[in-house]
Amino acid sequence: MAAPVSQPPVAARASTRFLPRRIGALPESAPASLRFSVGRRRRAARLEVKASGNVFGNHFQVATYGESHGGGVGCVISGCPPRIPLTEADMQVELDRRRPGQSRITTPRKETDTCKILSGTHEGMTTGTPIHVFVPNTDQRGGDYSEMAKAYRPSHADATYDFKYGVRAVQGGGRSSARETIGRVAAGALAKKILKLKSGVEILAFVSKVHQVVLPEDAVDYETVTLEQIESNIVRCPDPEYAEKMIAAIDKVRVRGDSIGGVVTCIARNVPRGLGSPVFDKLEAELAKAMLSLPASKGFEIGSGFAGTDFTGSEHNDEFYMDEAGNVRTRTNRSGGVQGGISNGEIIYFKVAFKPTATIGKKQNTVSREHEDVELLARGRHDPCVVPRAVPMVESMAALVLMNQLMAHIAQCEMFPLNLALQEPIGSASSASELAPNLS
């Protein structure tokens, strides 16, 4: 009698039953949803391939695309309300504030960053369909990055992109380049416009620190500071005296091929009450995520921030009072316009810290892609300090957050009649009348 054939344990059979016999490499032209066969029975399985980390927002949704030295960069905006006046000029104003080569303290790369709206508008009005904005790259110098193809720039994304993907676009940092923010700024320009039309929201940011030059807290009045004051100098600090000190600090490291960091302060005025949701979608949490998604950002604080830990509760609390118009207000604003994760109608203000630019013109020790210790002298064109050009980026991300939260609030809390004893409708008579001719 033949000996019985031994069988693997049941657990082993279960774990190996559906192992794939063969899975081939997928071509670049493969569709997003694929079918492939696995196991001896060649059962059909479904693999969903989704873009990861390139989309911001749930209601006013922005997907950015493109790389530093590719054909161009841009965004696709979904969820924009229809019948909003929009032309390329509306976006170009903000893109010009962000573009490179605008002064001696920014990167010398020459790009006009001229945008083109390819879809989503008709005769100067949004149609409610996806808005595609495209900006071509015109001043690429791929040869400047030959050294970076072989060695990792310290504190740059070169190494981590290799660790994650096993491949990267070397020229200009690829997707990690700040040119990705063009799509954010274009979308932010539209969000700013809608926020202004709907409820009079005004978002302004300015440089409040460069290296060790710190603008005093009381030097800027958040109630009255203007865009004209901020844009009056190349560093975008509304105080002329401190602006000169900041420019001098940047010039000092620029000529040595080094870099420095700084802080951008952002304020949002006339923000409606009620924006933000407990628990995981608190307004300050959404703002923090948005700001820390910006290139080179390293810190975020809102209201009193870390300094608030120096106070007692009785010192820190913002006491309420009734103003002359019968509105509930706070006498102080250490909360930064947000309490319990929800806007309270006061000015929202926060700060974003940016590290020194990683790519510098000084020789540094690093490691090659072949895992050898080497020295690197990086070339290319880079900002000696990112904060002057980060100002419109911070404003844009704040606008995208507030736009999403505004749409979420209206959808949830204004679907049915309000409790007017406690709630206020979004929008005002003045903003409605301003928009009305465009909605006819």
Side-chain angles (χ1 to χ4, degrees):
M1 182 175 179
V5 178
S6 62
Q7 296 288 332
V10 174
R13 294 203 304 271
S15 64
T16 60
R17 182 181 302 170
F18 298 113
L19 284 177
R21 176 177 295 177
R22 174 173 56 85
I23 299 178
L26 300 177
E28 293 183 358
S29 59
S33 296
L34 306 172
R35 297 181 68 85
F36 62 90
S37 298
V38 299
R40 292 182 178 179
R41 298 183 184 181
R42 306 187 71 82
R43 290 188 177 185
R46 190 171 182 84
L47 172 65
E48 293 288 339
V49 181
K50 298 181 179 180
S52 177
N54 299 298
V55 181
F56 183 85
N58 296 314
H59 304 277
F60 190 88
Q61 197 171 68
V62 180
T64 70
Y65 67 86
E67 299 172 342
S68 174
H69 281 55
V73 293
C75 67
V76 177
I77 307 165
S78 301
C80 177
R83 294 173 291 131
I84 302 296
L86 179 67
T87 66
E88 282 99 348
D90 295 317
M91 296 178 170
Q92 198 62 53
V93 171
E94 298 298 330
L95 290 173
D96 287 346
R97 298 174 66 209
R98 194 224 70 93
R99 70 175 177 83
Q102 55 187 273
S103 75
R104 70 177 187 272
I105 62 172
T106 64
T107 170
R109 179 171 175 170
K110 297 297 182 182
E111 296 277 2
T112 61
D113 286 351
T114 303
C115 70
K116 182 69 175 177
I117 298 176
L118 301 180
S119 68
T121 64
H122 177 68
E123 295 181 349
M125 291 280 184
T126 60
T127 61
T129 58
I131 300 169
H132 182 188
V133 184
F134 175 70
V135 173
N137 292 327
T138 60
D139 187 23
Q140 304 100 316
R141 295 183 187 174
D144 287 350
Y145 296 88
S146 56
E147 292 90 350
M148 280 81 93
K150 305 171 185 176
Y152 298 131
R153 285 171 286 180
S155 290
H156 204 280
D158 297 341
T160 50
Y161 269 52
D162 265 0
F163 298 161
K164 181 174 179 65
Y165 300 109
V167 64
R168 62 186 168 92
V170 174
Q171 289 80 9
R175 186 70 175 149
S176 67
S177 167
R179 283 196 68 71
E180 175 273 330
T181 62
I182 284 176
R184 308 185 196 210
V185 172
L190 176 55
K192 276 186 177 182
K193 183 167 190 174
I194 298 173
L195 290 166
K196 182 74 171 179
L197 289 171
K198 181 63 178 175
S199 52
V201 173
E202 185 178 17
I203 301 170
L204 294 172
F206 57 88
V207 175
S208 55
K209 180 181 179 182
V210 168
H211 198 212
Q212 297 177 354
V213 180
V214 183
L215 183 68
E217 291 290 338
D218 59 355
V220 177
D221 185 345
Y222 293 172
E223 296 275 359
T224 61
V225 64
T226 66
L227 178 64
E228 290 72 25
Q229 290 175 310
I230 295 168
E231 294 292 321
S232 65
N233 55 75
I234 58 177
V235 78
R236 294 197 167 98
C237 174
D239 185 283
E241 177 185 353
Y242 278 87
E244 289 302 317
K245 295 178 181 179
M246 293 176 181
I247 294 169
I250 298 173
D251 278 334
K252 184 177 180 180
V253 297
R254 176 178 61 86
V255 297
R256 300 202 310 255
D258 214 334
S259 65
I260 49 179
V263 173
V264 172
T265 295
C266 185
I267 62 172
R269 300 191 285 236
N270 304 319
V271 176
R273 296 172 177 177
L275 303 193
S277 301
V279 171
F280 299 111
D281 294 332
K282 290 183 176 181
L283 184 54
E284 64 261 56
E286 295 295 298
L287 287 168
K289 177 184 177 180
M291 299 308 149
L292 293 177
S293 74
L294 288 169
S297 61
K298 282 297 180 184
F300 173 88
E301 67 174 22
I302 187 167
S304 61
F306 291 99
T309 61
D310 296 332
F311 293 85
T312 62
S314 58
E315 294 169 332
H316 189 269
N317 287 343
D318 297 317
E319 294 184 347
F320 291 108
Y321 75 100
M322 300 300 298
D323 68 9
E324 295 178 355
N327 298 312
V328 178
R329 300 288 306 279
T330 61
R331 297 191 183 279
T332 54
N333 190 18
R334 298 186 183 93
S335 301
V338 181
Q339 294 172 329
I342 299 171
S343 60
N344 64 5
E346 303 295 336
I347 291 176
I348 293 175
Y349 67 96
F350 58 86
K351 296 180 179 180
V352 187
F354 291 88
K355 68 175 184 176
T357 312
T359 307
I360 59 175
K362 299 176 82 70
K363 188 174 291 187
Q364 299 179 92
N365 295 318
T366 187
V367 171
S368 71
R369 296 183 86 179
E370 288 71 35
H371 296 176
E372 297 176 344
D373 292 322
V374 296
E375 288 187 334
L376 172 66
L377 180 60
R379 292 190 294 163
R381 297 156 294 172
H382 308 280
D383 294 86
C385 181
V386 301
V387 290
R389 292 208 299 140
V391 165
M393 303 177 197
V394 169
E395 292 177 358
S396 295
M397 292 309 295
L400 294 179
V401 170
L402 293 176
M403 186 67 201
N404 271 279
Q405 294 297 327
L406 178 69
M407 295 179 75
H409 176 79
I410 292 175
Q412 180 188 21
C413 298
E414 295 199 4
M415 180 175 289
F416 296 102
L418 301 178
N419 179 354
L420 295 178
L422 299 174
Q423 296 174 288
E424 296 178 355
I426 300 294
S428 63
S430 59
S431 64
S433 62
E434 182 180 354
L435 187 57
N438 298 314
L439 300 182
S440 58

PDB file of all heavy atoms in Angstrom, residues 211-223:
ATOM      1  N   HIS A 211      15.071  85.344  10.193  1.00  0.00           N
ATOM      2  CA  HIS A 211      16.211  84.941  11.010  1.00  0.00           C
ATOM      3  C   HIS A 211      16.054  85.517  12.420  1.00  0.00           C
ATOM      4  O   HIS A 211      15.104  85.160  13.118  1.00  0.00           O
ATOM      5  CB  HIS A 211      17.524  85.372  10.344  1.00  0.00           C
ATOM      6  CG  HIS A 211      18.719  84.646  10.865  1.00  0.00           C
ATOM      7  ND1 HIS A 211      19.965  85.223  10.946  1.00  0.00           N
ATOM      8  CD2 HIS A 211      18.862  83.391  11.337  1.00  0.00           C
ATOM      9  CE1 HIS A 211      20.832  84.356  11.446  1.00  0.00           C
ATOM     10  NE2 HIS A 211      20.185  83.227  11.695  1.00  0.00           N
ATOM     11  N   GLN A 212      16.914  86.433  12.814  1.00  0.00           N
ATOM     12  CA  GLN A 212      16.835  86.981  14.170  1.00  0.00           C
ATOM     13  C   GLN A 212      16.216  88.381  14.215  1.00  0.00           C
ATOM     14  O   GLN A 212      16.212  89.023  15.272  1.00  0.00           O
ATOM     15  CB  GLN A 212      18.233  87.004  14.785  1.00  0.00           C
ATOM     16  CG  GLN A 212      18.826  85.604  14.939  1.00  0.00           C
ATOM     17  CD  GLN A 212      20.254  85.622  15.476  1.00  0.00           C
ATOM     18  OE1 GLN A 212      20.858  86.667  15.636  1.00  0.00           O
ATOM     19  NE2 GLN A 212      20.783  84.432  15.747  1.00  0.00           N
ATOM     20  N   VAL A 213      15.684  88.836  13.090  1.00  0.00           N
ATOM     21  CA  VAL A 213      14.988  90.127  13.049  1.00  0.00           C
ATOM     22  C   VAL A 213      13.505  89.854  13.279  1.00  0.00           C
ATOM     23  O   VAL A 213      12.830  89.256  12.427  1.00  0.00           O
ATOM     24  CB  VAL A 213      15.186  90.840  11.704  1.00  0.00           C
ATOM     25  CG1 VAL A 213      14.456  92.172  11.697  1.00  0.00           C
ATOM     26  CG2 VAL A 213      16.668  91.030  11.420  1.00  0.00           C
ATOM     27  N   VAL A 214      12.988  90.282  14.424  1.00  0.00           N
ATOM     28  CA  VAL A 214      11.621  89.956  14.825  1.00  0.00           C
ATOM     29  C   VAL A 214      10.791  91.233  14.904  1.00  0.00           C
ATOM     30  O   VAL A 214      11.134  92.173  15.625  1.00  0.00           O
ATOM     31  CB  VAL A 214      11.595  89.247  16.192  1.00  0.00           C
ATOM     32  CG1 VAL A 214      10.165  88.857  16.563  1.00  0.00           C
ATOM     33  CG2 VAL A 214      12.504  88.023  16.171  1.00  0.00           C
ATOM     34  N   LEU A 215       9.696  91.270  14.173  1.00  0.00           N
ATOM     35  CA  LEU A 215       8.773  92.395  14.225  1.00  0.00           C
ATOM     36  C   LEU A 215       8.030  92.364  15.561  1.00  0.00           C
ATOM     37  O   LEU A 215       7.415  91.336  15.901  1.00  0.00           O
ATOM     38  CB  LEU A 215       7.775  92.297  13.066  1.00  0.00           C
ATOM     39  CG  LEU A 215       6.771  93.430  12.906  1.00  0.00           C
ATOM     40  CD1 LEU A 215       7.470  94.722  12.486  1.00  0.00           C
ATOM     41  CD2 LEU A 215       5.714  93.049  11.861  1.00  0.00           C
ATOM     42  N   PRO A 216       8.061  93.437  16.353  1.00  0.00           N
ATOM     43  CA  PRO A 216       7.346  93.441  17.637  1.00  0.00           C
ATOM     44  C   PRO A 216       5.855  93.177  17.450  1.00  0.00           C
ATOM     45  O   PRO A 216       5.252  93.560  16.443  1.00  0.00           O
ATOM     46  CB  PRO A 216       7.587  94.862  18.170  1.00  0.00           C
ATOM     47  CG  PRO A 216       8.840  95.322  17.489  1.00  0.00           C
ATOM     48  CD  PRO A 216       8.815  94.695  16.129  1.00  0.00           C
ATOM     49  N   GLU A 217       5.246  92.505  18.422  1.00  0.00           N
ATOM     50  CA  GLU A 217       3.841  92.120  18.321  1.00  0.00           C
ATOM     51  C   GLU A 217       2.923  93.319  18.142  1.00  0.00           C
ATOM     52  O   GLU A 217       1.899  93.233  17.465  1.00  0.00           O
ATOM     53  CB  GLU A 217       3.425  91.326  19.571  1.00  0.00           C
ATOM     54  CG  GLU A 217       4.054  89.954  19.682  1.00  0.00           C
ATOM     55  CD  GLU A 217       3.517  88.974  18.641  1.00  0.00           C
ATOM     56  OE1 GLU A 217       2.408  89.212  18.129  1.00  0.00           O
ATOM     57  OE2 GLU A 217       4.202  87.988  18.333  1.00  0.00           O
ATOM     58  N   ASP A 218       3.265  94.450  18.757  1.00  0.00           N
ATOM     59  CA  ASP A 218       2.384  95.621  18.698  1.00  0.00           C
ATOM     60  C   ASP A 218       2.709  96.554  17.532  1.00  0.00           C
ATOM     61  O   ASP A 218       2.157  97.651  17.439  1.00  0.00           O
ATOM     62  CB  ASP A 218       2.456  96.399  20.014  1.00  0.00           C
ATOM     63  CG  ASP A 218       3.873  96.875  20.348  1.00  0.00           C
ATOM     64  OD1 ASP A 218       4.815  96.518  19.597  1.00  0.00           O
ATOM     65  OD2 ASP A 218       4.032  97.591  21.349  1.00  0.00           O
ATOM     66  N   ALA A 219       3.583  96.111  16.637  1.00  0.00           N
ATOM     67  CA  ALA A 219       3.984  96.981  15.522  1.00  0.00           C
ATOM     68  C   ALA A 219       2.942  97.036  14.410  1.00  0.00           C
ATOM     69  O   ALA A 219       2.942  97.966  13.604  1.00  0.00           O
ATOM     70  CB  ALA A 219       5.324  96.523  14.953  1.00  0.00           C
ATOM     71  N   VAL A 220       2.049  96.050  14.364  1.00  0.00           N
ATOM     72  CA  VAL A 220       1.040  95.973  13.298  1.00  0.00           C
ATOM     73  C   VAL A 220      -0.340  95.902  13.930  1.00  0.00           C
ATOM     74  O   VAL A 220      -0.589  95.068  14.816  1.00  0.00           O
ATOM     75  CB  VAL A 220       1.274  94.747  12.397  1.00  0.00           C
ATOM     76  CG1 VAL A 220       0.175  94.648  11.348  1.00  0.00           C
ATOM     77  CG2 VAL A 220       2.639  94.826  11.725  1.00  0.00           C
ATOM     78  N   ASP A 221      -1.236  96.750  13.481  1.00  0.00           N
ATOM     79  CA  ASP A 221      -2.621  96.731  13.924  1.00  0.00           C
ATOM     80  C   ASP A 221      -3.404  95.807  12.998  1.00  0.00           C
ATOM     81  O   ASP A 221      -3.606  96.114  11.822  1.00  0.00           O
ATOM     82  CB  ASP A 221      -3.202  98.147  13.877  1.00  0.00           C
ATOM     83  CG  ASP A 221      -4.613  98.221  14.453  1.00  0.00           C
ATOM     84  OD1 ASP A 221      -5.244  97.161  14.624  1.00  0.00           O
ATOM     85  OD2 ASP A 221      -5.087  99.345  14.725  1.00  0.00           O
ATOM     86  N   TYR A 222      -3.842  94.668  13.519  1.00  0.00           N
ATOM     87  CA  TYR A 222      -4.540  93.684  12.689  1.00  0.00           C
ATOM     88  C   TYR A 222      -5.863  94.230  12.144  1.00  0.00           C
ATOM     89  O   TYR A 222      -6.356  93.745  11.126  1.00  0.00           O
ATOM     90  CB  TYR A 222      -4.826  92.414  13.490  1.00  0.00           C
ATOM     91  CG  TYR A 222      -3.591  91.623  13.874  1.00  0.00           C
ATOM     92  CD1 TYR A 222      -3.672  90.538  14.735  1.00  0.00           C
ATOM     93  CD2 TYR A 222      -2.332  91.952  13.373  1.00  0.00           C
ATOM     94  CE1 TYR A 222      -2.551  89.802  15.089  1.00  0.00           C
ATOM     95  CE2 TYR A 222      -1.210  91.229  13.721  1.00  0.00           C
ATOM     96  CZ  TYR A 222      -1.318  90.155  14.590  1.00  0.00           C
ATOM     97  OH  TYR A 222      -0.208  89.429  14.939  1.00  0.00           O
ATOM     98  N   GLU A 223      -6.427  95.222  12.810  1.00  0.00           N
ATOM     99  CA  GLU A 223      -7.695  95.794  12.356  1.00  0.00           C
ATOM    100  C   GLU A 223      -7.518  96.659  11.104  1.00  0.00           C
ATOM    101  O   GLU A 223      -8.426  96.740  10.275  1.00  0.00           O
ATOM    102  CB  GLU A 223      -8.314  96.651  13.473  1.00  0.00           C
ATOM    103  CG  GLU A 223      -8.701  95.890  14.727  1.00  0.00           C
ATOM    104  CD  GLU A 223     -10.082  95.275  14.633  1.00  0.00           C
ATOM    105  OE1 GLU A 223     -10.735  95.461  13.584  1.00  0.00           O
ATOM    106  OE2 GLU A 223     -10.506  94.621  15.604  1.00  0.00           O
TER     107      GLU A 223
END
